[in-house]
């Protein structure tokens, strides 16, 4: 079945550092890929998405490129801020018995940015 | 503003008691979902519904029940058969056409007294 493997945390960086959170996936067909962010005590918010190979999703300075040849969707940001501290989830939307809506999540990566 | 409202934010359950978590959306989405989140783990799908009066089991449905009598509402009941109910519960919805992203509520944290 579908699966998502993402970089284990926690990750701690200094403000303005470069961020990479690795995400690889296993799926049949052509899934859509997502990054969600969860702030303490809240639900998940969609950060960015990509629906086909070589697509680049971007939002709030974060970027991720859908790499089918390496089955990866790594999250990057050039200069992180304290406000980026959160848990980040990689997810894929593959094909299931009921259509295209089933989401499979990675285990999440906790990111802490120190001033 | 459109969104998903989950209530209550915190809920306590006594042993042997059923409790119901509310999820309401005003996004006009056809599909709704319930997930369970445990520390250090990703989200696991409990139940989902694509249309009113229809729902299917997800990966961890045992000890849970749902109903979908209205498009806007998808309540989750945690029954006494769920032996380890302490978790963070998240409700989500999306439009059931194409790979539309799911939108999430702010969650309900359930604890056992």
């Amino acid at each position: 079945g579908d699966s998502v493997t993402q970089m284990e945390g926690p990750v701690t960086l200094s403000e303005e550092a470069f961020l990479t959170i690795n995400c690889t996936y296993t799926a049949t067909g052509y899934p859509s890929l997502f990054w969600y962010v969860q702030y303490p005590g809240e639900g998940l918010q969609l950060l960015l998405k990509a629906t086909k190979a070589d697509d680049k999703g971007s939002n709030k300075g974060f970027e991720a490129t859908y790499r089918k040849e390496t089955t990866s969707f790594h999250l990057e940001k050039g200069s992180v801020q304290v406000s980026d501290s959160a848990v980040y989830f990689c997810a894929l939307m593959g094909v299931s018995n009921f259509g295209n809506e089933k989401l499979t999540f990675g285990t999440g990566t906790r990111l802490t940015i120190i001033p | 503003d459109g969104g998903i409202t989950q209530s209550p934010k915190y809920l306590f359950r006594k042993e042997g008691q059923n409790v119901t978590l509310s999820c309401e959306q005003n996004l006009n989405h056809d599909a709704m979902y319930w997930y369970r989140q445990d520390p250090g783990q990703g989200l696991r799908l409990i139940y989902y519904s694509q249309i009113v009066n229809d729902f299917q089991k997800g990966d961890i449905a045992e000890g849970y029940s749902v109903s979908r009598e209205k498009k806007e509402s998808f309540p989750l009941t945690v029954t006494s058969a769920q032996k380890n109910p302490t978790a963070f519960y998240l409700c989500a919805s999306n439009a059931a056409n194409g790979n539309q992203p799911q939108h999430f509520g702010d969650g309900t944290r359930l604890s056992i007294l």
Side-chain angles (χ1 to χ4, degrees), chain A residues 30-32 34 36 38 41-46 49 51 87 89 93-94 97-103 105-108, chain B residues 9 33 35 37 40-43 45 48 50 59 88 90 94-107:
Chain A
Y30 300 92
S32 293
F34 305 86
Y36 282 87
Q38 184 179 35
E42 297 183 9
L44 274 65
Q45 299 176 24
L46 178 66
K49 68 174 183 177
T51 58
V87 180
F89 290 93
M93 182 177 285
N97 290 337
F98 69 103
N100 294 334
E101 293 85 13
K102 185 176 182 182
L103 269 179
F105 287 89
T107 54
Chain B
K9 191 168 180 64
Y33 310 81
Y35 293 92
Q37 184 179 20
Q41 298 189 37
L43 278 67
L45 183 63
Y48 57 91
Q50 283 188 288
D59 300 319
F88 191 50
L90 287 160
N94 70 345
N97 57 330
N99 288 357
Q100 298 300 315
Q102 293 181 13
H103 299 257
F104 285 80
D106 282 340

Side-chain angles (χ1 to χ4, degrees), chain A residues 1-12:
Chain A
D2 296 346
S3 67
V4 174
T5 302
Q6 67 179 99
M7 177 175 173
E8 286 192 21
V11 174
T12 301

Side-chain angles (χ1 to χ4, degrees), chain A residues 10-27:
Chain A
V11 174
T12 301
L13 295 172
S14 297
E15 203 166 22
E16 299 183 2
F18 184 87
L19 168 71
T20 300
I21 300 178
N22 290 338
C23 172
T24 57
Y25 68 89
T26 301

